Amino acid sequence: MGRLVREAWEEAGLAIDPAGVELVHVVHVVDGPGRLPRVQMVFRADRFEGTPVVREPDKCLSWGWWPPDALPEPVVPYTRVAVEGIRAGRRYTELGWN
C-alpha cells in the first residue's frame, strides 16, 4: 500500500490511511493493436485528508466528485468501465481485447 499512499499524495495532495484501503476492481486493458496489455487496479479509500489538487496537469485535467451515472467527458476509458463494473458488482473487466 505504500506506493498507493505515495501516489495519492504526489498526484492529488491526499493523505490516505492504508488501513482503510480496499481493492475494488481490476481492468485488463489493451489500448490498441500492437500495444502491450496493462492492468489497472482501482482502490477505494474509506478515509483521507485533504482536498484533491491537480499536481500533474500534463496527465490530469481536474479532480472532482460526480454521480457514477453522470461522469464528465472526457474520462479515461478504463475509469469508465471500472465504475460500471463496480456498480454491477464485478471485480474484473477486460477492455480493448478483440
Side-chain angles (χ1 to χ4, degrees):
M1 289 295 158
R3 183 171 180 151
L4 173 71
V5 170
R6 187 186 78 232
E7 291 292 320
W9 177 252
E10 289 177 2
E11 295 181 16
L14 297 175
I16 293 178
D17 179 353
V21 173
E22 171 189 15
L23 176 65
V24 293
H25 201 78
V26 175
V27 182
H28 197 182
V29 181
V30 175
D31 286 328
R35 302 287 303 263
L36 291 175
R38 294 177 295 143
V39 174
Q40 303 292 344
M41 294 181 285
V42 180
F43 295 86
R44 177 184 301 134
D46 65 3
R47 55 189 171 271
F48 61 88
E49 292 181 16
T51 301
V53 175
V54 176
R55 291 186 163 186
E56 295 182 341
D58 58 316
K59 297 179 182 177
C60 179
L61 298 175
S62 68
W63 293 114
W65 307 109
W66 293 275
D69 59 348
L71 297 177
E73 289 294 341
V75 170
V76 177
Y78 70 78
T79 300
R80 185 173 302 282
V81 300
V83 169
E84 291 168 357
I86 292 165
R87 293 183 77 208
R90 293 189 316 267
R91 292 212 173 247
Y92 176 80
T93 301
E94 294 177 349
L95 178 64
W97 294 88
N98 294 328

